[in-house]
Structure formats: structure tokens, C-alpha cells
């Protein structure tokens, strides 16, 4: 039994890490030691301890200091990181990880299996709802020796490995947290991890400086001496910083989509939109099914047919992102490319509304609905205006309502809206990031739950089957069927597979090498001369 | 009336202002004829420069006609200016008249209340009110009226204070007229000229306030206004300057026209002042 498990040992994935360095060599560029990377962080995070805070900016900066057992390729295949290899038992319940042996925390103490078990079973379990939901499935976590961790699940859970990235379960030092309140421990203010960069200085409202960690476990790495995250609240100043070379890298929300075309034309800058495959945010018009006539499938189909998703992706987002084709983003696992939303067709949309008994009145209006504008910046207001004009064409009058971010979250969580816009991360697997929006068991008064109130027993059943199915083939079958049903019933009107522009100086190499993009450790990033 | 017009005419700037103002009003009235359909309609390709594809003043980021936006926006801007000024006048004149005529405790109470509003920066208060009552045309008008009435109250109080002791008021009192009828029928008509001048300037201020609120995204999301046009063009100003420049010119001209008209009214209604000014120049 043990032998067969060892036989399954995934010695596969050491290759990509080496290959990246080799790729660079192949291009004639030897990684160069030295140099400071100046970049930007927007908005300023409250703390840099993953777990205590898991918002976007925290994860961007903290992943340079903290690492997970694994990370993922753009196709979401696992790459070893702190775990150098792993095996899965034939019944898919036991995961055994061999850890790297010479890993030190920034305070000089070695990282062992105890730290891994503490991080997963106590730290993230306590602090992060997303981690808790999954790690609750772990029956036992044991350390047969200081460099081996064995996790036994209560039942097979095929997407389990996806939860072991630094963004979901970074390994933290047990000796600095055990026996303390995790949120107020001194280490939260001076983060200590195993990553290639250690915390040096944080002037609030000004900059965060991380320094090279000389005892990093990969010999010769990292290449950079330091990374400085500057806090620049104004988007036009951020754009100037990258244009003038004061910053060599921008990411996530730093640069507004409308500024991207001009930055693309600069010869010294490179614009990339990859590196969001793991998060894969999908945006949609969120419909409240309790509001008539949005409970009628034909009405939802008609609304979906009235929208030009290409216009949204090309004209509003300037090509940063692409039209959604179904509820699972094309970079997420189990996306079925053969299942597609009905194409734009105003005549068919009008016919569907006629069939639903919604005839136009003298002004050509079939019915009026309210739309709560997503208060996340100008581009979302423009999208709201675009949708109002699009739906007007098929006789649906949309009344826009403005609100602030806090009220938006409260009203959506309390189902006090008719339609709004929303975008949700998929975390690589439909069970982790898609299921929650459509299953009736998750109809809750919480944001990012099934707030629309869609309910279909067959959909519930298929998501449940995909959750517990052991093989990827069985899961694919269930997810393909669920995509067909959802595309037919259009519970939410999917708009765009979102991504964010990563803009960097061409001399900066290896910025995006994994499916987590700028949320990687940057131990192989270097500044060519 | 003819005398009034003769005096108004003497101020050339005021005549120009009046012409511009009438043109803006004409534009607002004719907007549905000149630009039929909704100003929100996407009628061209996004970012069409002025003069191309039949877009006189260019198209915005969604391909909406900027000229149509300015014409339809004129309706909203003028409407907001007029209605909020009317509301502010109603409140300001009533309170100012009571304070000035009654004096004593009532005067103290009203003036302390007025000062309370005057000490708060008016734009901040307007933002706060609109944010609390959620942005809509009603809340914007309300907010502008609330921050604009205190100067009216002070001016009216001063007029009433000085007029109250005049002989014609004393005569009216001796005749046994009621206080209300003295205030409305005898004093108010004599206090009207500064109110008229002030109100033309208030309309200008109200248009600016509304534009500033819309610029910040606190306007009614269902109505096209000049401030909204500038606000939505701000972020792409290096890509499409026409989106913010033309609405900006519209606001500039309208506010300038209202100020010129205000000055002309002031000259026409206070001939002595005008003559002094003319003599000095």
C-alpha cells in the first residue's frame, strides 16, 4: 500500500521551475543579480499578514514574503514550492507532502511539518472563511517526520490541491503565533515568512519596502535586492509613475483600462493581461429572481440576447478581458467550450418577451426595472449606462440608482435590489468559486452567496455530484451538464471574463510565469541591464 | 418699464449676457427638436472627434453625441438652477423678512439659525446631503436650496430693518393693517431690487453647484447634465479632449451670462449706483 503510494509520487512538476530559468538562458539573457524593483500598491492594505487580511493588495505584496506548499501553472496544474513532491492515495483521501528541507523563516528558525500543520489546521482555519469551508474536510493532519505532512480527508475532494497556494494557505511560523490571538500577535505587524523577500519598512501612506532574504532556500535566488511598493492614491499619478520610469511595474487596479492603449504604444513598456487564471473573475448582471418578471426564464434569455459583450470588452475595457461564454470562465478547470450563450439577437429577444406576455405600451416600454450601479469606479457606471441603453432597445426601461460601496454590499447581501452588477473570483475550480452562486443551499443573506435566489434541484444535484466525484472525468460530465442547464436558464447574465493589466518595463523579466501572475514570490524576477 | 430697459441697455455687457442667456434657453427648449431621441443613445462609434460622422462636437466613450448631451443637459442645468433658486428664495425671504420686521428675539433666533448654516462650507454640506438622500434630481435641488438660502435671508433682513422705520410703514401701521399685509404688501415690493439681482447670481451658483455634484458622480444617474459630461470625460481627457471642453464652455458661457445679466439688473434697478460707477470710470 505504502509502496504503491510512493510509486504515484508526482515527481512531475519540478520541471517548470527549472524551465523558466532555462527559457531565460535560451533567450540569451542570464538572470542578473541586483537592482531594486519600484512598483505600486493600490489601495494601501491594512496589514500584510495573509490570513488576517486576504484582500487583493495584501496578497500582491505578502506573497513575496509568504509561500504555500504549491503554486499553479496558467493551466492550473500544481507546481511544487515548499512541498517538493506529493502523493495521493488511490482512494483520493490521503495526501502526503514531502517538504523542502532547507527552508528557513526570516527570523532564522527552520520551517518544519509542524508549521505547515499549524498554518492549515489552526491559522487559516480560524481566520479565513474560504479556507475553513475546505479545510474542515480534513479528518487528520499528521507529521510522520519533520519534513513530511500527511493530510487525510473525510471524503475525496478532487480540487483540494488548489487550496494550497500562498493566497489561500500561506505557511506561517507556528512559534510566533501559537498561544496568541492570531489577529493581534506582534508578527502581524512585522510579517515573518519563508519567501524570497523579508519585511523591512512600512511608512504608512507612503511606501512598503521588502528586502532580499539572504538565507532563501533556492540557492542564488532571489535576484532582486529589494522591492518597494509605493502607495499612490491617484490613478493619473500612477500612470505618470510608470510612464516616467519611477515605477517599473503596475498590477491589478493600478492602471485604469482607458489608460492602457496609450501605455501599450510605449516601446519601453510591456502590457500583459495573463496571470489571472487562478482567480479568473467573471462579471455579470446580477438579477434578483424574487422581482417579477425576472423569475421568468424567457425574460432573462431576452435580456442576455440584447447585450453586445464584444462592445463591453473592447470599448469599455479596451480589450482587457474577453466576452463571457458561459458561467465558468475559460481559464477555470472544467470550462466546456462547446456550451455557449445565445448570440446577440434583438428580434429573438423581442419575440421571447412577447411570448412572456410583456407587450410594449404606447412608449414602447414592456416593463421597468431598477439597476443598482456598482460603485467601484467610473467604468462600472459607464457599463450601467450601456446596459440601460441596450435593454431600452428591446423595450425594457432601466432606472439607475447610485449608491456607495458599503450600501451596495449591504443591499445585495439583504436581497434589497432588482438588478446590479457583480464580479466573483472562481479560484480555479467551479466547486470552489462557481457553485456558490447557483445552488439553492447557498441562498443566504451574505454577499457572494446565491443572493439572486435561483433554485433548480437538478443544478443542486449536479454541483453536489461534481463536488464529491473522485475522477476529473466524472466531474467534467457533471459540470458540462450544469453549464448546459445554466446557459439555457441564464440565472445571471454573464458579461465578461475579467483580467487586469500588468504593465512593466521591458528590462524586468519573468514577471508572469504562473497562473497567479503578480501574486507569485518573484524569486526568479530580475532586472536585465 | 421702458425706463428700466433704457437703463439696462446702457450696460453693454449686460445686453451680451442677456443674448447668450436667451440662446441657452432657446437651446434647452429646442433640444428635443434638434436632437430627437435620448442623449444617452449610442449613435456613433466611441471617441469620434468633432466634425466627423455627423458628430458636431464629437462622440464620447460609448459613442454618444456630445452636442446632444449639451443641448439636453441645458434643460436640466437651467431647471435645477431655477427651481433650487426659487426654493432658496422662498425660505430665505420668509426667514429674512420675519427677522427684519419682528426684530428682538425672533431676529436673534433666525440669525443664529442662519449663521449655523453659513459656518458650514456649503459645498461640503451639499455633498453630504446628496449622499445621505441618495443622488436624484430631487435631492440635488434640495441640497442646493439648503446651502443657498442664508445670503438671501441676510440681505432681506437688512432691507426690512431699514424699511421698517420708514414713514410709509408707520402710516400703514397706524391705518391698522395686519403685520402680514404690511410685510408682503408694503415692505417686500420696496426690497425687491436687491433680491432680483441676488437671485440671478444664485441661479449661476446653483448651476455650478449642480455641475460640481454631477462631476463627482453625485448627480441623478438617469439625467444628462453638463457636470456629468465633464466628469465622464475627465478620465479620458488625453484621449478625447472634446468630451470635457465643450460642456465646460457651455457652463462657462451660461454662468458668465447670468453674472452679466445680474450686473445689468443691478444697474437698472439702482440708477444712482450705476451713475456713480459711470462717473468714477
Amino acid at each position: 500500500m505504502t509502496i504503491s503510494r510512493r510509486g504515484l509520487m508526482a515527481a512531475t512538476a519540478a520541471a517548470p521551475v527549472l524551465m523558466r530559468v532555462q527559457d531565460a538562458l535560451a533567450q540569451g539573457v542570464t538572470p542578473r543579480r541586483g537592482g531594486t524593483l519600484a512598483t505600486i500598491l493600490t489601495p494601501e492594505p491594512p496589514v500584510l499578514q495573509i490570513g488576517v487580511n486576504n484582500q487583493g493588495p495584501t496578497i500582491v505584496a505578502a506573497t513575496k514574503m509568504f509561500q504555500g506548499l504549491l503554486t499553479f501553472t496558467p493551466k492550473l496544474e500544481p507546481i511544487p514550492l515548499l512541498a517538493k513532491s506529493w502523493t495521493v492515495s488511490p482512494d483520493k483521501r490521503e495526501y502526503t507532502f514531502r517538504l523542502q528541507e532547507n527552508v528557513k523563516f526570516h527570523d532564522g528558525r527552520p520551517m518544519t511539518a509542524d508549521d505547515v500543520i499549524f498554518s492549515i489546521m489552526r491559522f487559516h482555519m480560524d481566520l479565513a472563511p474560504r479556507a475553513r469551508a475546505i479545510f474542515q474536510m480534513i479528518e487528520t493532519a499528521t507529521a510522520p517526520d519533520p519534513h513530511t505532512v500527511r493530510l487525510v480527508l473525510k471524503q475525496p475532494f478532487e480540487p483540494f490541491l488548489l487550496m494550497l497556494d500562498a493566497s489561500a494557505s500561506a505557511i506561517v511560523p507556528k512559534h510566533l503565533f501559537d498561544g496568541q490571538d492570531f489577529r493581534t500577535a506582534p508578527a502581524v505587524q512585522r510579517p515573518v515568512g519563508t519567501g524570497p523577500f523579508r519585511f523591512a519598512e512600512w511608512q504608512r501612506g507612503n511606501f512598503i519596502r521588502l528586502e532580499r532574504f539572504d538565507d532563501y532556500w533556492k540557492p542564488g535566488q532571489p535576484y532582486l535586492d529589494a522591492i518597494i511598493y509605493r502607495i499612490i492614491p491617484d490613478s493619473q499619478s500612477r500612470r505618470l509613475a510608470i510612464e516616467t520610469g519611477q515605477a517599473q511595474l503596475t498590477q491589478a487596479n493600478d492602471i485604469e483600462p482607458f489608460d492602457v492603449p496609450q501605455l501599450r504604444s510605449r516601446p519601453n513598456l510591456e502590457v500583459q493581461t495573463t496571470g489571472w487564471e487562478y482567480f479568473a473573475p467573471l462579471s455579470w448582471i446580477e438579477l434578483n429572481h424574487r422581482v417579477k418578471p425576472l423569475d421568468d426564464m424567457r425574460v432573462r434569455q431576452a435580456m442576455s440576447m440584447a447585450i453586445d459583450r464584444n462592445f463591453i470588452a473592447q470599448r469599455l475595457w479596451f480589450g482587457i478581458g474577453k466576452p463571457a461564454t458561459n458561467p465558468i470562465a475559460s481559464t477555470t478547470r472544467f470550462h466546456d467550450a462547446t456550451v455557449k450563450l445565445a448570440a446577440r439577437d434583438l428580434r429573438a429577444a423581442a419575440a421571447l418577451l412577447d411570448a412572456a406576455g410583456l407587450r410594449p405600451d404606447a412608449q414602447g416600454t414592456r416593463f421597468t426595472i431598477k439597476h443598482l450601479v456598482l460603485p467601484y469606479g467610473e467604468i462600472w457606471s459607464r457599463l450601467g449606462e450601456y446596459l440601460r441603453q441596450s435593454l431600452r432597445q428591446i423595450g425594457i426601461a432601466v432606472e439607475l440608482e447610485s449608491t456607495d460601496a458599503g450600501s451596495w454590499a449591504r443591499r445585495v447581501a439583504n436581497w434589497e435590489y432588482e438588478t446590479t452588477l457583480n464580479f466573483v473570483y472562481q479560484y480555479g475550480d467551479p466547486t470552489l468559486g462557481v457553485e456558490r452562486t447557483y445552488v439553492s443551499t447557498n441562498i443566504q443573506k451574505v454577499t457572494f452567496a446565491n443572493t439572486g435566489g435561483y433554485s433548480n434541484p437538478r443544478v443542486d444535484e449536479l454541483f453536489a455530484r461534481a463536488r464529491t466525484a473522485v475522477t476529473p472525468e466524472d466531474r467534467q460530465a457533471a459540470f458540462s451538464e450544469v453549464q448546459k442547464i445554466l446557459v439555457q436558464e441564464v440565472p445571471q447574465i454573464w458579461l465578461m471574463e475579467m483580467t487586469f493589466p500588468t504593465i512593466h518595463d521591458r528590462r524586468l523579466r519573468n514577471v508572469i510565469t504562473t497562473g497567479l501572475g503578480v501574486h507569485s514570490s518573484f524569486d526568479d524576477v530580475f532586472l536585465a541591464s | 418699464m421702458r425706463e428700466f430697459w433704457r437703463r439696462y441697455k446702457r450696460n453693454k455687457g449686460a445686453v451680451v449676457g442677456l443674448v447668450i442667456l436667451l440662446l441657452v434657453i432657446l437651446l434647452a427648449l429646442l433640444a428635443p427638436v434638434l436632437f430627437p431621441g435620448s442623449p444617452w443613445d449610442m449613435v456613433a462609434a466611441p471617441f469620434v472627434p468633432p466634425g466627423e460622422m455627423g458628430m458636431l462636437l464629437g462622440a464620447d466613450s460609448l459613442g454618444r453625441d456630445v452636442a446632444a448631451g449639451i443641448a439636453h443637459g441645458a434643460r436640466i442645468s437651467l431647471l435645477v438652477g431655477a427651481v433650487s433658486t426659487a426654493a432658496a428664495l422662498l425660505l430665505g425671504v420668509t426667514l429674512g423678512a420675519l427677522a427684519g420686521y419682528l426684530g428682538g428675539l425672533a431676529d436673534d433666533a433666525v440669525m443664529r439659525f442662519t449663521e449655523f448654516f453659513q459656518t458650514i462650507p456649503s459645498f461640503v454640506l451639499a455633498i453630504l446631503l446628496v449622499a445621505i438622500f441618495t443622488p436624484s434630481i430631487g435631492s440635488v435641488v434640495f441640497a442646493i436650496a439648503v446651502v443657498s438660502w442664508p445670503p438671501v435671508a441676510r440681505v432681506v433682513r437688512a432691507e426690512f430693518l431699514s424699511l421698517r422705520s420708514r414713514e410709509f410703514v408707520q402710516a400703514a401701521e397706524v391705518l391698522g393693517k395686519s403685520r402680514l399685509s404690511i410685510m408682503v404688501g408694503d415692505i417686500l415690493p420696496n426690497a425687491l431690487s436687491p433680491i432680483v439681482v441676488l437671485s440671478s447670481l444664485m441661479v449661476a451658483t446653483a448651476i455650478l453647484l449642480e455641475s460640481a455634484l454631477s462631476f463627482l458622480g453625485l448627480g441623478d444617474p438617469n439625467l444628462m447634465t453638463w457636470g456629468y459630461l465633464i466628469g465622464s470625460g475627465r478620465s479620458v481627457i488625453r484621449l478625447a479632449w472634446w468630451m470635457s471642453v465643450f460642456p465646460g464652455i457651455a457652463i462657462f458661457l451660461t454662468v458668465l451670462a447670468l453674472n452679466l445679466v445680474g450686473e445689468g439688473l443691478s444697474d437698472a434697478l439702482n440708477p444712482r449706483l450705476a451713475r456713480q460707477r459711470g462717473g468714477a470710470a
Side-chain angles (χ1 to χ4, degrees), chain A residues 216-508:
Chain A
Y216 185 56
W217 55 275
K218 285 188 192 173
Q221 287 176 307
Y223 301 118
L224 295 169
D225 288 333
I227 302 178
I228 294 175
Y229 286 98
R230 291 179 58 200
I231 313 296
I232 306 178
D234 174 59
S235 73
Q236 290 307 303
S237 310
R238 292 196 293 270
R239 174 189 158 153
L240 277 175
I242 185 84
E243 265 182 331
T244 57
Q246 288 170 44
Q248 290 97 45
L249 167 72
T250 65
Q251 58 241 319
N253 288 308
D254 291 345
I255 298 296
E256 308 272 1
F258 50 72
D259 282 330
V260 173
Q262 264 141 53
L263 293 176
R264 264 191 214 280
S265 64
R266 298 221 148 213
N268 64 323
L269 295 179
E270 182 162 354
V271 178
Q272 289 178 281
T273 55
T274 52
W276 288 86
E277 294 81 8
Y278 178 86
F279 296 107
L282 188 80
S283 62
W284 61 68
I285 308 176
E286 173 117 359
L287 305 174
N288 188 342
H289 291 233
R290 299 162 194 91
V291 176
K292 288 201 182 298
L294 302 178
D295 55 339
D296 188 327
M297 182 166 82
R298 292 167 296 191
V299 173
R300 301 194 299 264
Q301 287 167 337
M303 289 169 76
S304 175
M305 279 184 195
I307 291 156
D308 184 351
R309 293 172 173 83
N310 262 318
F311 184 95
I312 296 175
Q314 292 304 321
R315 299 301 193 175
L316 282 169
W317 262 265
F318 294 88
I320 314 294
K322 56 180 193 174
T325 56
N326 81 38
I328 298 178
S330 59
T331 53
T332 303
R333 300 168 79 207
F334 307 111
H335 165 80
D336 190 334
T338 63
V339 183
K340 285 201 178 98
L341 273 168
R344 183 162 187 260
D345 185 343
L346 296 181
R347 201 169 294 165
L352 278 165
L353 291 174
D354 284 339
L358 297 158
R359 305 233 162 239
D361 65 10
Q363 282 85 45
T365 306
R366 296 171 191 270
F367 66 96
T368 303
I369 42 167
K370 287 187 177 147
H371 180 84
L372 193 60
V373 178
L374 183 65
Y376 283 6
E378 204 190 308
I379 197 161
W380 296 99
S381 312
R382 285 301 91 72
L383 178 55
E385 289 159 14
Y386 170 76
L387 296 173
R388 175 179 57 191
Q389 294 318 111
S390 299
L391 294 175
R392 182 73 252 182
Q393 292 177 314
I394 55 167
I396 300 174
V398 179
E399 241 176 66
L400 300 183
E401 294 178 276
S402 303
T403 184
D404 58 277
S407 311
W408 179 86
R410 183 180 47 75
R411 287 185 57 179
V412 172
N414 288 328
W415 311 342
E416 290 162 6
Y417 67 99
E418 296 188 359
T419 69
T420 184
L421 292 164
N422 203 349
F423 64 96
V424 170
Y425 284 1
Q426 301 203 331
Y427 301 118
D429 191 284
T431 297
L432 299 177
V434 178
E435 180 190 299
R436 54 182 168 166
T437 313
Y438 308 102
V439 294
S440 62
T441 47
N442 201 28
I443 299 180
Q444 293 188 69
K445 290 203 167 180
V446 179
T447 34
F448 306 126
N450 181 355
T451 40
Y454 170 71
S455 159
N456 178 338
R458 181 69 188 151
V459 168
D460 290 356
E461 193 190 317
L462 287 166
F463 270 119
R465 193 197 297 166
R467 176 175 270 270
T468 51
V470 177
T471 67
E473 293 73 29
D474 289 349
R475 300 188 70 216
Q476 181 69 63
F479 282 133
S480 285
E481 192 182 338
V482 110
Q483 286 170 75
K484 282 191 192 103
I485 297 174
L486 291 178
V487 159
Q488 173 68 23
E489 303 201 334
V490 209
Q492 307 298 350
I493 299 172
W494 310 290
L495 298 175
M496 209 175 78
E497 294 183 9
M498 294 172 61
T499 171
F500 298 90
T502 304
I503 303 172
H504 62 87
D505 194 307
R506 285 194 189 275
R507 287 170 304 167
L508 193 70

Side-chain angles (χ1 to χ4, degrees), chain A residues 161-174:
Chain A
L161 289 180
L162 280 167
M163 287 303 293
L164 299 178
D165 175 78
S167 61
S169 54
I171 305 306
V172 299
K174 181 182 180 187

Side-chain angles (χ1 to χ4, degrees), chain A residues 6 23 30 54 56 130 144 158 170 180 197 213 232 291 332 375 414 416 441 451 453 464:
Chain A
R6 281 207 188 122
D23 280 350
T30 323
N54 280 344
R130 174 161 87 94
E158 204 265 343
Q180 303 186 54
F197 296 92
F213 175 44
I232 306 178
V291 176
T332 303
N414 288 328
E416 290 162 6
T441 47
T451 40

Side-chain angles (χ1 to χ4, degrees), chain A residues 262 378 385 388-389 400, chain B residues 40-41 64 222 228 235 239:
Chain A
Q262 264 141 53
E378 204 190 308
E385 289 159 14
R388 175 179 57 191
Q389 294 318 111
L400 300 183
Chain B
W40 300 96
D41 285 341
R64 299 176 294 212
N222 296 296
Y228 164 84
S235 53
L239 200 70

